[in-house]
Amino acid sequence: MLTDRQIEIINKSIDIIATKGIQGLTIKNLSKEIGISEPAIYRHFESKTDILLAILKIFEEMSSFMDDVLKDSSDTAIGKIEFMFTNIIEIFSNEPSHISVIFSEEVFKNEEILKNKIVEIMNTKEKTIEDILLEGQNKGEVRDDIDNKTLALIVMGSLRFMVKQADLRNKHENLKKESQKLIDGLRLILKK
């Protein structure tokens, strides 16, 4: 379980990544932002990598919770995808700084432990969407002329592109409206 100080360090790290990029996240910058010494940071985390790993683990827990809710849902496959998108967009709309971390996987590729965690999170999310779509195909709710793995890539890729585009354009306020258009389009694409 994380301490209050660790949570503060994590939240401030997310803010720094969002404003200065991953290269701006240094122990020196972090200690200045929080108002504590660099050694004090090291009492809570051994390294910058450990801080980033803690951030990824929090995102993984949030994602896992959503996956569990979806597994227990009796909604249609398309309804489950809509629920997932709506909740992800809600998080990003309320906390745009999370976009910079979640979609910075290319930055993590040089750090093996971080790369492995990102791949694990992505694989889990991909599997969840594939399973939802396969279930929908088996029930006749989702088109079956395209395999569930390809449909999952279309779903994941379209969400990623929309969110990243809004972030790069600094148009976070449009995410909810744009996501509804995307959900409506995906519903047409996925429906049998």
Side-chain angles (χ1 to χ4, degrees), residues 70-98:
L70 290 170
K71 287 176 187 169
D72 293 339
S73 172
S74 60
D75 203 350
T76 65
I78 295 172
K80 289 178 182 182
I81 299 292
E82 285 184 45
F83 174 82
M84 182 187 303
F85 268 40
T86 303
N87 281 281
I88 290 170
I89 294 301
E90 187 69 28
I91 291 166
F92 289 152
S93 295
N94 294 334
E95 297 288 341
S97 58
H98 289 162

Side-chain angles (χ1 to χ4, degrees), residues 64-169:
S64 178
F65 176 77
M66 187 183 309
D67 291 351
D68 290 343
V69 169
L70 290 170
K71 287 176 187 169
D72 293 339
S73 172
S74 60
D75 203 350
T76 65
I78 295 172
K80 289 178 182 182
I81 299 292
E82 285 184 45
F83 174 82
M84 182 187 303
F85 268 40
T86 303
N87 281 281
I88 290 170
I89 294 301
E90 187 69 28
I91 291 166
F92 289 152
S93 295
N94 294 334
E95 297 288 341
S97 58
H98 289 162
I99 297 169
S100 300
V101 178
I102 296 210
F103 294 122
S104 292
E105 58 271 350
E106 65 277 354
V107 175
F108 298 138
K109 70 181 175 186
N110 295 324
E111 189 76 42
E112 197 68 26
I113 192 166
L114 297 174
K115 180 180 81 172
N116 291 340
K117 181 53 73 180
I118 287 281
V119 168
E120 181 183 332
I121 293 168
M122 288 172 58
N123 287 345
T124 301
K125 188 52 64 190
E126 183 179 23
K127 175 87 168 90
T128 297
I129 294 172
E130 287 174 1
D131 289 350
I132 289 169
L133 293 170
L134 182 61
E135 180 184 346
Q137 287 173 327
N138 291 337
K139 290 181 177 178
E141 302 165 350
V142 173
R143 65 187 302 161
D144 57 7
D145 58 332
I146 301 173
D147 68 278
N148 65 317
K149 291 181 184 300
T150 302
L151 288 174
L153 285 174
I154 292 168
V155 168
M156 291 176 67
S158 60
L159 174 66
R160 177 184 169 74
F161 183 79
M162 183 197 67
V163 170
K164 192 65 177 172
Q165 188 177 48
D167 189 48
L168 289 171
R169 292 180 178 166

Side-chain angles (χ1 to χ4, degrees), residues 85 155 158-159 162 177-187:
F85 268 40
V155 168
S158 60
L159 174 66
M162 183 197 67
K177 184 172 76 171
E178 293 301 314
S179 70
Q180 191 54 56
K181 289 181 197 174
L182 179 60
I183 289 169
D184 292 344
L186 285 172
R187 190 181 306 114

